[in-house]
Amino acid sequence: MVERTKIRQEYLDKLAELIKIPSVSAKKTGLTEASDLIKAFFQELKADHVIVDNEYEFPLVLAQFKSVKTDAKTLLIYNHYDVQPAEPFDLWHSDPWTLTERDDKFFGRGVDDDKGNLLARLTALAEYLDENQHQLPVNIDFVVEGSEETASRGLAQYLQKHADFLKNDLVIWESGGYNSKEQQELNGGTKGIVTFDLKAKTAGRDLHSSLAPVIDSAAWQLVAAINSLRNPDGTIAVKGVYDSVRKASERELALVDQYSTIDEHLLVDSFKLTAALLNNRDKTDLLKALYFSPALNIEGISSGYQEAGVKTVLPAEATAKLEIRLVPDQDPRDIFDKVVAHLQEHGFTNVKAVYTLGEKPYRSDLSAPEIQRVIKATEKVYGKDISLLPTTPGTGPMAYFYDNFKSPITAAGIGYADSADHAPDENVRIKDYFDHVDFIKELIKSYD
């Protein structure tokens, strides 16, 4: 049983308060309430400065804790308070908006992604301040945003606006944790993304399907347009997409080869795959594609009659939602423009592309001196058997921070392979939660 000090229990109660707020950025609910509560947490800790900025719709919370040292370095901690929707509710075994403890785990929406990570870090700061006469050996800044789950809308503008306030030497990312081999994983990057809708319209209204021999439908045109974007091996068929792709360095390739837990058997077994893998020549090719290559995905397609029974209709309209995951040095707008040009060049004049969201990619080989500081702190808490990855296959706003501050970034956190982020029964193991408290305290101590 993990020992809970008074401060640790107090901050678990605060975590319960925060989880109770359904701060879902996709629905734009609970954002003001959550940001106000986090502001109160920082004020209770006697932060030197606290700002809540809501200029760009999704409130941003900034806090600054000053060191007693005049030449102190600055550690920036990034988190977010928005969460994914909790539906379907019937698949949860406890209320998603109630912090619940069972089976040596904490359950609740956001307990890993990302409210639990934030409160573990606040717990560490509170304990360190309590144990050291409220004196810090390093400046600590917090950036807590409310739109991470919806492509961090407004974050780039917020960071530019407050860049002087937030200059730093190291960024600790919002989350992380144990991989499937039970190694604490540090990673230094995320893929970018561009999302867009394709909308096909071929007539003023739906037509009788008897006209199919002579009239093309919006559904067929949309399917043909989508199919033209990708080659059979999964690579993207849009001209120029790969022109700006940054080649992975030897160190980056070596780190992925050494530390990635992903292989063909894991993917097939974990997800019960029945379709063949797109890239199954060998593990090296699979990892290169997963970590260092862009990828096109269809998120959803809709057209025509979808209800019970049969309706013999030739659809006049069809829509699809797509995404392309990006790698350095691809730009979301540039890649979208190339998709638009591709559709025009291939004669899909009835198919319109509409840009929806975009984030730039970032990648680091984890060799920076400040990252070595993080590695040493990690080893003191978790032992020597840790994992180092230069990037992840997922997406996040790391590039916004690097563009503004040019400081190294690494992710570490409280999760594990079965945390079920974004899914029902999201959870973290209680020991992992408190180990992260110890890790953050160890990192602060490293500046003494």
Side-chain angles (χ1 to χ4, degrees):
M1 189 71 177
V2 179
E3 181 184 357
R4 300 184 193 178
T5 63
K6 179 181 178 181
I7 288 176
R8 295 190 178 202
Q9 186 57 54
E10 177 186 342
Y11 276 82
L12 278 178
D13 295 341
K14 294 181 188 300
L15 175 59
E17 286 184 71
L18 190 57
I19 284 179
K20 192 179 296 183
I21 300 172
S23 48
V24 179
S25 55
K27 299 179 180 180
K28 298 182 181 177
T29 60
L31 304 180
T32 299
E33 294 87 344
S35 58
D36 285 345
L37 182 61
I38 293 166
K39 174 186 176 181
F41 292 165
F42 285 131
Q43 289 175 328
E44 187 176 332
L45 274 172
K46 296 182 172 56
D48 294 276
H49 301 284
V50 183
I51 298 171
V52 176
D53 190 337
N54 58 9
E55 180 177 354
Y56 301 107
E57 188 174 11
F58 297 88
L60 183 80
V61 187
L62 304 175
Q64 196 169 62
F65 294 83
K66 288 289 191 181
S67 170
V68 293
K69 296 161 59 176
T70 56
D71 60 345
K73 291 188 174 183
T74 298
L75 170 64
L76 189 150
I77 296 177
Y78 163 71
N79 287 99
H80 62 93
Y81 60 82
D82 67 314
V83 297
Q84 287 283 339
E87 292 86 345
F89 295 113
D90 60 335
L91 296 183
W92 287 79
H93 290 84
S94 53
D95 178 16
W97 309 116
T98 300
L99 180 64
T100 303
E101 183 177 338
R102 67 174 184 273
D103 302 326
D104 297 320
K105 300 171 186 174
F106 294 130
F107 290 82
R109 174 54 87 228
V111 72
D112 183 42
D113 189 16
D114 178 47
K115 295 175 179 180
N117 280 280
L118 172 61
L119 267 295
R121 293 164 181 186
L122 289 181
T123 305
L125 178 58
E127 281 196 348
Y128 188 92
L129 291 171
D130 182 67
E131 294 165 1
N132 293 274
Q133 294 77 50
H134 213 84
Q135 294 185 341
L136 290 170
V138 60
N139 301 315
I140 301 179
D141 294 346
F142 283 86
V143 174
V144 190
E145 69 151 315
S147 180
E148 193 276 342
E149 302 292 3
T150 49
S152 295
R153 286 177 282 179
L155 181 61
Q157 295 93 324
Y158 280 131
L159 293 180
Q160 289 170 1
K161 179 179 177 180
H162 299 285
D164 290 340
F165 182 85
L166 295 170
K167 287 179 180 177
N168 65 82
D169 300 284
L170 170 68
V171 178
I172 295 296
W173 204 241
E174 43 111 356
S175 62
Y178 283 98
N179 62 24
S180 60
K181 291 182 178 178
E182 287 297 322
Q183 298 166 315
Q184 181 64 201
E185 185 174 282
L186 301 178
N187 72 72
T190 57
K191 283 189 173 181
I193 195 169
V194 56
T195 66
F196 54 95
D197 296 343
L198 292 185
K199 300 181 178 182
K201 185 170 183 179
T202 53
R205 60 177 175 81
D206 288 351
L207 305 176
H208 196 287
S209 64
S210 64
L211 296 170
V214 293
I215 297 177
D216 207 2
S217 75
W220 279 117
Q221 291 217 351
L222 180 66
V223 169
I226 294 173
N227 195 49
S228 77
L229 297 175
R230 200 183 76 158
N231 298 312
D233 65 355
T235 57
I236 301 170
V238 177
K239 186 189 302 180
V241 160
Y242 292 92
D243 290 353
S244 59
V245 168
R246 184 194 304 169
K247 186 179 179 180
S249 70
E250 290 301 317
R251 174 172 167 79
E252 289 167 344
L253 290 170
L255 288 175
V256 164
D257 182 64
Q258 180 178 355
Y259 291 113
S260 177
T261 61
I262 297 173
D263 60 27
E264 177 182 353
H265 301 294
L266 176 69
L267 294 174
V268 171
D269 295 343
S270 296
F271 303 117
K272 297 179 173 59
L273 298 183
T274 55
L277 293 175
L278 289 169
N279 192 318
N280 60 359
R281 287 168 288 181
D282 56 39
K283 183 178 179 180
T284 298
D285 288 333
L286 186 149
L287 294 179
K288 282 183 179 179
L290 186 63
Y291 288 98
F292 303 122
S293 298
L296 173 70
N297 176 53
I298 304 169
E299 297 175 351
I301 302 177
S302 178
S303 183
Y305 183 68
Q306 302 289 335
E307 305 304 322
V310 176
K311 183 179 181 183
T312 53
V313 64
L314 189 153
E317 296 185 15
T319 61
K321 293 184 178 294
L322 291 89
E323 66 182 47
I324 299 178
R325 298 279 172 163
L326 309 176
V327 297
D329 296 297
Q330 294 179 305
D331 178 80
R333 281 284 179 183
D334 175 66
I335 298 301
F336 173 76
D337 290 343
K338 285 178 168 58
V339 171
V340 172
H342 171 95
L343 294 173
Q344 292 173 345
E345 290 171 9
H346 287 75
F348 296 107
T349 55
N350 289 324
V351 180
K352 181 182 179 182
V354 180
Y355 184 98
T356 49
L357 297 171
E359 283 187 340
K360 292 170 63 178
Y362 169 78
R363 188 167 76 225
S364 162
D365 67 1
L366 299 174
S367 62
E370 284 300 305
I371 299 297
Q372 300 309 305
R373 178 194 300 276
V374 177
I375 292 172
K376 289 178 182 177
T378 303
E379 290 176 342
K380 285 187 177 181
V381 175
Y382 300 101
K384 297 285 186 179
D385 187 21
I386 63 174
S387 170
L388 304 175
L389 286 176
T391 189
T392 67
T395 291
M398 278 189 178
Y400 295 151
F401 287 82
Y402 188 77
D403 288 348
N404 279 283
F405 310 118
K406 298 295 187 274
S407 50
I409 306 169
T410 188
I414 65 175
Y416 73 114
D418 292 321
S419 278
D421 292 0
H422 297 194
D425 282 348
E426 180 179 349
N427 70 94
V428 296
R429 297 177 298 204
I430 294 173
K431 182 180 184 302
D432 298 345
Y433 180 89
F434 289 116
D435 280 349
H436 191 68
V437 174
D438 292 335
F439 160 72
I440 294 295
K441 287 177 69 177
E442 199 64 49
L443 185 58
I444 296 172
K445 290 177 188 176
S446 73
Y447 292 93
D448 281 333

